[in-house]
Amino acid sequence: MNSFIQFTACTGYSKILEITLNANAHLFKKIIIVTKEDDINTINLCERFENVKTLFHNFRLPEDFKMPLNNHDLKRLKEGTLHPSKVIPPVNHFNRGGALQIAQEYIYSNFPNDFYLHLDADIVLPSNFTDVISSHELKSNVLYGVRQRRDYASMNDFNLRENYRVYNKSRGFFGFFQLYHRKDVFYDH
């Protein structure tokens, strides 16, 4: 039977992650959560689960690491002697791909024989997920996904499993669920 390693990037989202970890943790041999070192709520939450490991990433893109803007630089920028590309952009990017790469490097070296599931932090799987997926002969060179998801209007609706909207994908599949085995595939920054 196949075993599964789940990984995700999650920072500042611990309330939702708590719901999904409580629902999904029993389904996986190991879960890797990549978060920021100062996301204490996520770190403390992950420590409650024996099969959850926390890794850290700063979630900034390499191009975000530019000279800081101070009064002298602001003057140079206005004068045209400092190029705008040398200044930190006003909005920091969220480098999710870099965080997922950290998880991939870890799982590929520590769990080389398992299947890997990138699952968004806000996704709850059916409680019989491993039974259903293990009933299929999974191939190591195939990327598996899902073509349907349910979105609930409220937390109460989710708990009762009612009042949901079904989203279908006619071509391809949703990116929130990617199951695979190959160890030469990495997310981009």
Side-chain angles (χ1 to χ4, degrees):
M1 184 161 102
N2 296 315
S3 58
F4 304 96
I5 310 299
Q6 184 216 324
F7 66 101
T8 194
C10 179
T11 184
Y13 208 52
S14 61
K15 290 185 190 285
I16 295 296
L17 183 64
E18 181 174 19
I19 294 164
T20 59
L21 281 178
N22 281 322
N24 295 338
H26 73 282
L27 302 171
F28 298 98
K29 178 178 176 180
K30 195 73 160 179
I31 298 175
I32 309 303
I33 304 293
V34 183
T35 192
K36 290 169 54 174
E37 289 183 352
D38 64 352
D39 188 352
I40 301 304
N41 292 333
T42 297
I43 295 166
N44 289 341
L45 170 64
C46 292
E47 289 175 353
R48 294 182 7 211
F49 296 86
E50 288 184 23
N51 65 330
V52 176
K53 172 142 181 87
T54 308
L55 301 176
F56 301 103
H57 183 60
N58 62 26
F59 289 90
R60 290 179 66 189
L61 291 167
E63 62 263 22
D64 287 342
F65 292 100
K66 298 176 182 174
M67 282 183 358
L69 187 61
N70 55 41
N71 287 336
H72 175 71
D73 292 335
L74 184 58
K75 181 181 175 197
R76 289 178 53 216
L77 188 63
K78 287 178 183 177
E79 294 170 346
T81 58
L82 177 64
H83 194 274
S85 68
K86 300 293 183 188
V87 179
I88 292 178
V91 176
N92 287 331
H93 299 92
F94 184 72
N95 183 6
R96 185 168 179 251
L100 296 176
Q101 267 189 17
I102 288 171
Q104 288 174 308
E105 290 168 3
Y106 178 84
I107 61 178
Y108 295 170
S109 64
N110 289 284
F111 305 96
N113 300 317
D114 297 293
F115 275 79
Y116 313 113
L117 176 62
H118 167 248
L119 187 69
D120 282 0
D122 60 349
I123 302 298
V124 172
L125 295 171
S127 59
N128 65 343
F129 165 76
T130 48
D131 294 333
V132 170
I133 203 79
S134 294
S135 69
H136 299 281
E137 187 177 324
L138 298 177
K139 297 180 178 161
S140 62
N141 62 344
V142 175
L143 175 64
Y144 297 94
V146 296
R147 299 176 93 167
Q148 186 182 85
R149 78 167 197 242
R150 294 178 181 176
D151 281 354
Y152 293 88
S154 70
M155 193 63 206
N156 187 55
D157 288 342
F158 169 75
N159 289 331
L160 297 172
R161 301 298 194 264
E162 61 185 33
N163 298 324
Y164 56 85
R165 183 172 175 194
V166 175
Y167 290 89
N168 292 304
K169 190 91 163 165
S170 61
R171 292 182 50 167
F173 49 79
F174 292 107
F176 65 80
F177 177 108
Q178 298 172 18
L179 179 67
Y180 64 98
H181 182 68
R182 290 177 47 184
K183 289 173 278 307
D184 61 339
V185 178
F186 288 92
Y187 284 90
D188 287 334
H189 284 269

